[in-house]
Amino acid sequence: MLKGAFEHKDNHGGQGVIHPGGVQWMTAGSGILHSEMPKTDGVNEGLQLWVNLPAAKKMMPPNYQDLAAEDLAVGRSDDGLVSASIISGQAYGVEADTTTETPVWYLDVTVKPGGVFEQDMPSDFNAYVYILRGRAVVGDGDDEQKQRKLQRLEMAVLDRAGSRVRVANLHNSTDQPDKMALRFVLIAGRPLNEPVEKYGPFVMNTRAEIEQAFDDYRAGRFANVRPTTTTHHRSARKRVDEL
């Protein structure tokens, strides 16, 4: 959640409110009815990411976790110019308190003027950078031919050939460090390389599985499996099977 607040509810009585900097990561698994509605009358702004489950785990029990902003792991550069809230994955030697059913990295990164974010990435990951605020230079710092300049609401899909991600704040002035800060998300993961069949809210591997999902929904079978919910607290540093 970037601004405002969202209230979420499910068909088993679970509910909560997501505030700025907070995250709810849900695994739909075998099926859950879930709603999200704005909680404030002002601007409500956030990001939603859908991650496909591997075929072998598509029918696992549904679950979700609430992660408040203050409970997220944070990695920082040695010069203090870069901080990364680690929703999943790792940065600057710090790992997220959560695990996922597939290898997925989700970093919310802030870079002050003059700062550079650098991150080693598994060479078999797909990855992209999406700019939330400010202006960025993505790519090799010594080769302008391999660089790309981005501004707010623009993205760059990264080349798998290199295993190191480099994103610099285009602004070097330190007169207004907060106003000129760069904020972006880095999202990466290992491809499943499985067939994908989707329709409406369902993502499966075959058309027959899609038809079965609709049949389960119409028959009320989503109500027969109770999801698990976990709220993280940094002091406890819990680890769970899935976000």
Side-chain angles (χ1 to χ4, degrees), residues 222-238:
F222 285 9
N224 296 329
V225 181
R226 181 170 296 278
T228 58
T229 304
T230 301
T231 300
H232 281 272
H233 299 286
R234 290 291 295 160
S235 59
R237 295 190 63 85
K238 278 188 172 181

Side-chain angles (χ1 to χ4, degrees), residues 24 32 46 65 93 95 144 149 170-171 192 222 224:
Q24 187 213 54
I32 185 173
Q65 295 175 71
E95 292 190 14
E144 290 188 2
K149 294 181 180 179
L170 193 60
H171 298 288
L192 296 178
F222 285 9
N224 296 329

